[in-house]
Amino acid sequence: MTTPSSPSPAGQDVEVDLVVVGAGPTGLFAAYYAGFRGHRIAVVDSLPELGGQVTAMYPEKQILDVAGFPSVKGRDLVAGLVAQAATADPVYLLGRTATELQHSEDGVVLSLDDGTVVRAGAMLITAGIGKFSPRPLPAGHEFLGRGLEFFVPSFAPYAGKDVVIVGGGDSAFDWAVHLEPVARSVTLVHRRDAFRAHERTVAQVRASSVRIVTKAELTALRPDPDGHLGEVDITDPDGVTTYPCQAVVAALGFVADLGPIQQWGVEVQKRHVVVDSSMRTNLSRVFAAGDITEYPGKVRLIAVGFGEAATAVNNATVAIDPTAKVFPGHSSEGG
């Protein structure tokens, strides 16, 4: 588990310079960088662990687009970010949802669902896609937890099993790559013959032993004599084929919900918070960074979120302390 060593008790008032809403990679880097700027920081997240979607959904995934790491496992990236953020000694408010926001020219007041009130000089929203829930698989929901899963936090339970992955996006193909050497067999089922996943990953799966079945749907799941998943039916234009299967991964994407953020008065465009080049929202002293942001030319990568976090913190610093400079100098500079 990626939990902080000193979380704040519920229901207590917290006063800091900057409150960060969202404890994913962008939020964790923002906490570190805010500490570098000399700020006291609080980090709020509705999940009980640090790392956001990476911890909840992709801890075993190899991440390939973070500068300085040819390849880094999701959980290892989060562990490094948590260690880096620890230098700022942030107050972690995990398993709590930010519900109400009051903002003024003097600061922000953020209320949480457990009664905690956070007062800060500025706020940074790094909530990713907000709260997320997986899209359901039309068939076999009764097998959830007995062979049907939506995420793959660990590969070990799939060792020696016949696995069927449903979906055509990055998650489906990433899990196919990682499960192929572990499972007895991997079958990837998608309702179209075109995929949304990265071309490189698609090519990697095509070159592997993974069976790809397109223009098809998973239409039935049936138990073995012990009541666990034993086989599935896959329907395509040629008819129905039954496959042995002890594990189904439904990688059909997820439904994002910004929740109370949409009631705070921030400008939202297609479930994303609109910011300018300084990562400012339309609200005084409220900034945003990472996947939740929207602006012309926006690219949603972890690496981009890191840069946006630094931009947001530096500009928030001036809002918190008008005598400060936006650019503090390089962190590698001495003296």
Side-chain angles (χ1 to χ4, degrees), residues 137-144 146-149 164 166 217-224 228-234 243 245-250:
L137 186 70
H141 62 275
E142 67 273 17
F143 285 96
L144 186 61
R146 296 189 298 122
L148 170 63
E149 301 293 345
V164 172
V166 184
E217 294 186 25
L218 187 66
T219 50
L221 292 79
R222 286 186 292 275
D224 62 16
H228 294 281
L229 182 60
E231 62 181 23
V232 299
D233 286 348
I234 297 175
Y243 292 88
C245 175
Q246 300 83 48
V248 169
V249 180

Side-chain angles (χ1 to χ4, degrees), residues 52-226:
Q53 293 177 55
V54 173
T55 295
M57 299 163 61
Y58 314 118
E60 295 291 337
K61 177 182 175 181
Q62 293 293 332
I63 298 173
L64 307 177
D65 52 13
V66 176
F69 293 94
S71 176
V72 59
K73 190 177 291 188
R75 67 169 75 253
D76 294 335
L77 175 63
V78 170
L81 287 163
V82 171
Q84 186 181 40
T87 63
D89 194 24
V91 175
Y92 286 114
L93 304 167
L94 302 181
R96 316 180 203 190
T97 299
T99 54
E100 296 181 9
L101 170 68
Q102 296 176 322
H103 67 95
S104 69
E105 294 301 321
D106 298 322
V108 300
V109 179
L110 187 66
S111 299
L112 310 186
D113 61 353
D114 69 337
T116 300
V117 175
V118 184
R119 293 177 171 81
M123 181 171 75
L124 174 56
I125 304 172
T126 59
I129 60 169
K131 285 190 173 182
F132 53 91
S133 56
R135 297 184 187 278
L137 186 70
H141 62 275
E142 67 273 17
F143 285 96
L144 186 61
R146 296 189 298 122
L148 170 63
E149 301 293 345
F150 292 104
F151 308 120
V152 183
S154 174
F155 301 140
Y158 297 87
K161 292 183 177 180
D162 299 298
V163 180
V164 172
I165 301 172
V166 184
D170 286 318
S171 295
F173 276 84
D174 285 339
W175 283 327
V177 168
H178 292 301
L179 289 175
E180 189 258 352
V182 175
R184 178 164 52 206
S185 71
V186 176
T187 301
L188 190 145
V189 181
H190 186 45
R191 56 194 174 90
R192 296 192 299 269
D193 56 7
F195 305 113
R196 302 183 310 278
H198 193 284
E199 293 177 4
R200 176 180 172 182
T201 313
V202 172
Q204 189 175 355
V205 171
R206 288 190 186 278
S208 74
S209 66
V210 173
R211 178 193 297 116
I212 299 177
V213 184
T214 59
K215 296 183 180 178
E217 294 186 25
L218 187 66
T219 50
L221 292 79
R222 286 186 292 275
D224 62 16
D226 295 325

Side-chain angles (χ1 to χ4, degrees), residues 233-265:
D233 286 348
I234 297 175
T235 303
D236 63 19
D238 295 327
V240 179
T241 304
T242 300
Y243 292 88
C245 175
Q246 300 83 48
V248 169
V249 180
L252 300 173
F254 38 81
V255 178
D257 181 11
L258 293 183
I261 292 176
Q262 296 181 97
Q263 312 305 319
W264 293 349

